[in-house]
Amino acid sequence: MLALVDCNNFFASCERVFRPDLEGKPIVVLSNNDGCIVSRSNEAKALGIPMGVPYFKVKDKIEINRVHVFSSNFLLYGDMSNRVMSIIEQFSPNVEVYSIDEAFLDLTGMKNILEYGREIHRTIKQWVTIPVSVGIAPTKTLAKAANYLVKKNAGHRGVLMLEDERQIASALAEVPVGELWGIGRRLAVSLSGYGIRTAYDLQNIDMQWARQQYSVMMLRVVEELRGTPCLAVESESQQRKSIISSRSFGRKVTALAELSESVATHITRAVEKLREDGLCTSALVVYIKANRFTAEPVSHSKYIHLPYPTDDTSVLISYAHAALAEIFQDGLRYGKCGICLLNFSQSSQFQYSLFPAYQSEDVMQERRTLMKAIDSVNGKWGKRTVYFAACGIQQKWHMKSESRSPCYTTEWDDIPEAKLGITPAKDF
DNA sequence: TCTGGGGTCCTAGGACCC
DNA sequence: TCTGGGGTCCTAGGACCC
């Protein structure tokens, strides 16, 4: 057996931890650009505010009902998540942290599993005041379905265990097929066209037919519904495969200079993550998009295979700027841009000796020291972001505040060397 | 007027190489 | 003039997840 522990309305619940006066009151949390609703308390759900809806569409409803609105605070959510996960890890030696607000626990060999699940539920509520739902079942997909039912029905009081076949079958009859893990909107529509509307219907389909109509992913879902685990609880965290940084502008951007500035910011953010993980990247994608709600959504990207693996911000920015200049079209109105780093390798010293430009270890050391200083300044000052001067015009380090979108800010300050704690080399 | 961001996985076609 | 196929890389897009 395994358990899925999922925090209820996670972001909204986190905000409430520090605002206990909002207990029982409607709360919503907005996405990065304050664009969409990404989390709602139960009271906000009851008011009929949908998930993912653009803020401006429900603004009136929110004001009339005095809903408390929060901009997202991912530092807080990350911190709360760590606290929840460390509690969960005390309950099983094999825990897979699946996302910021949920984790799978391997409960193989445990006794009184249902009571154990209730204890997990109780402990988390008590220690960090975050409400969670616990679904227990033989497979991940079933545990997800159990979790869905826990949230739907207060009668379960936070915990549901699905054990024998009859119990599983009757539970699945209450789960719409689109609520299953791995069945999204498109597949749900397609399945309902064949009369498959509940998880129970899907559990009982003909496998040969399923293979003809759908991919192997569908077979996996069905097997898991039948109680055969296809997905193990994986406690070893996998090395990430990509790092993305992107933002919508919230307005139309037409100038290459402005896009360049934004791309430089994205590279800086992504490279910080890269260095945190001790990795180097050897491929880079730059993309720019027109507003996706217009009739003809334009999207252009450029993939660059770098000549050597690197974690050097300025090197990556210069490649990214070259790529951007290639795909940029004068006269188009862009709504979003972003970058993606790929093809990672462990950052180590040997790589530099492979390339003539990197023969001098002194120069490399100096660059690394400087970048670490930049990372630490960013860490200390939270919302301040330091990055290499945009557009490659000035060979100086600059600081700018990152507000809602990298493109909103165009005011620059030189970084006081005292704050940086290091004097950048002249040729940098 | 205003419509998120960070991920993984898959597919498909064209360019280019052998 | 006619004729091939396999492999990789790049671009674009779409499904799904949180």
Side-chain angles (χ1 to χ4, degrees), chain A residues 342-413:
Chain A
L342 299 156
N343 293 4
F344 299 140
S345 52
Q346 297 297 320
S347 130
S348 53
Q349 302 297 328
F350 81 94
Q351 57 195 309
Y352 302 118
S353 61
L354 297 175
F355 307 100
Y358 284 78
Q359 272 175 356
S360 163
E361 199 52 45
D362 291 349
V363 173
M364 287 319 303
Q365 275 307 331
E366 191 177 345
R367 288 190 168 212
R368 283 172 164 277
T369 313
L370 188 51
M371 280 178 210
K372 279 192 181 144
I374 297 293
D375 288 352
S376 95
V377 170
N378 286 340
K380 257 185 248 163
W381 296 350
K383 290 196 173 176
R384 309 290 281 182
T385 297
V386 179
Y387 74 93
F388 197 64
C391 316
I393 300 164
Q394 292 151 300
Q395 298 276 298
K396 261 181 169 178
W397 290 90
H398 286 258
M399 178 177 71
K400 77 184 190 69
S401 59
E402 187 195 48
S403 54
R404 297 177 0 137
S405 157
C407 240
Y408 284 152
T409 319
T410 48
E411 294 299 315
W412 300 86
D413 302 315

Side-chain angles (χ1 to χ4, degrees), chain A residues 182-425:
Chain A
I183 307 296
R185 228 186 68 243
R186 295 295 293 263
L187 283 174
V189 169
S190 163
L191 285 167
S192 86
Y194 295 110
I196 299 160
R197 295 197 171 77
T198 68
Y200 177 77
D201 296 337
L202 186 62
Q203 190 197 24
N204 292 288
I205 59 167
D206 180 78
M207 287 298 244
Q208 281 216 322
W209 174 84
R211 184 62 195 99
Q212 284 162 11
Q213 296 295 320
Y214 302 102
S215 72
V216 286
M217 274 190 45
M218 182 65 82
L219 300 185
R220 203 196 64 200
V221 173
V222 177
E223 283 294 348
E224 285 246 319
L225 288 178
R226 293 178 181 180
T228 311
C230 302
L231 304 162
V233 177
E234 289 174 18
S235 50
E236 298 290 306
S237 63
Q238 311 276 321
Q239 182 185 298
R240 65 159 92 230
K241 293 177 177 158
S242 66
I243 297 172
I244 294 174
S245 174
S246 68
R247 280 284 187 287
S248 298
F249 298 128
R251 61 194 169 87
K252 300 292 171 292
V253 170
T254 55
L256 176 60
E258 229 173 320
L259 291 171
S260 297
E261 183 184 328
S262 181
V263 162
T265 306
H266 289 312
I267 294 282
T268 310
R269 287 160 49 102
V271 173
E272 278 168 20
K273 283 193 192 171
L274 190 70
R275 280 199 292 272
E276 259 171 42
D277 288 7
L279 298 173
C280 281
T281 179
S282 56
L284 158 72
V285 179
V286 177
Y287 61 90
I288 43 181
K289 293 182 180 190
N291 188 320
R292 65 195 166 102
F293 297 98
T294 54
E296 295 252 332
V298 189
S299 170
H300 292 292
S301 65
K302 177 81 187 165
Y303 174 99
I304 296 170
H305 188 83
L306 302 168
Y308 48 84
T310 183
D311 62 356
D312 186 316
T313 312
S314 60
V315 166
L316 287 163
I317 286 177
S318 60
Y319 276 107
H321 278 170
L324 177 64
E326 276 186 52
I327 56 176
F328 171 77
Q329 288 175 39
D330 222 354
L332 286 182
R333 294 144 65 83
Y334 295 102
K336 179 173 182 175
C337 86
I339 63 101
C340 180
L341 306 181
L342 299 156
N343 293 4
F344 299 140
S345 52
Q346 297 297 320
S347 130
S348 53
Q349 302 297 328
F350 81 94
Q351 57 195 309
Y352 302 118
S353 61
L354 297 175
F355 307 100
Y358 284 78
Q359 272 175 356
S360 163
E361 199 52 45
D362 291 349
V363 173
M364 287 319 303
Q365 275 307 331
E366 191 177 345
R367 288 190 168 212
R368 283 172 164 277
T369 313
L370 188 51
M371 280 178 210
K372 279 192 181 144
I374 297 293
D375 288 352
S376 95
V377 170
N378 286 340
K380 257 185 248 163
W381 296 350
K383 290 196 173 176
R384 309 290 281 182
T385 297
V386 179
Y387 74 93
F388 197 64
C391 316
I393 300 164
Q394 292 151 300
Q395 298 276 298
K396 261 181 169 178
W397 290 90
H398 286 258
M399 178 177 71
K400 77 184 190 69
S401 59
E402 187 195 48
S403 54
R404 297 177 0 137
S405 157
C407 240
Y408 284 152
T409 319
T410 48
E411 294 299 315
W412 300 86
D413 302 315
D414 283 345
I415 305 167
E417 282 172 13
K419 280 190 178 167
L420 194 55
I422 182 171
T423 309

Side-chain angles (χ1 to χ4, degrees), chain A residues 19 47 87 90 355:
Chain A
R19 290 289 306 276
L47 289 170
I87 296 171
Q90 295 174 24
F355 307 100

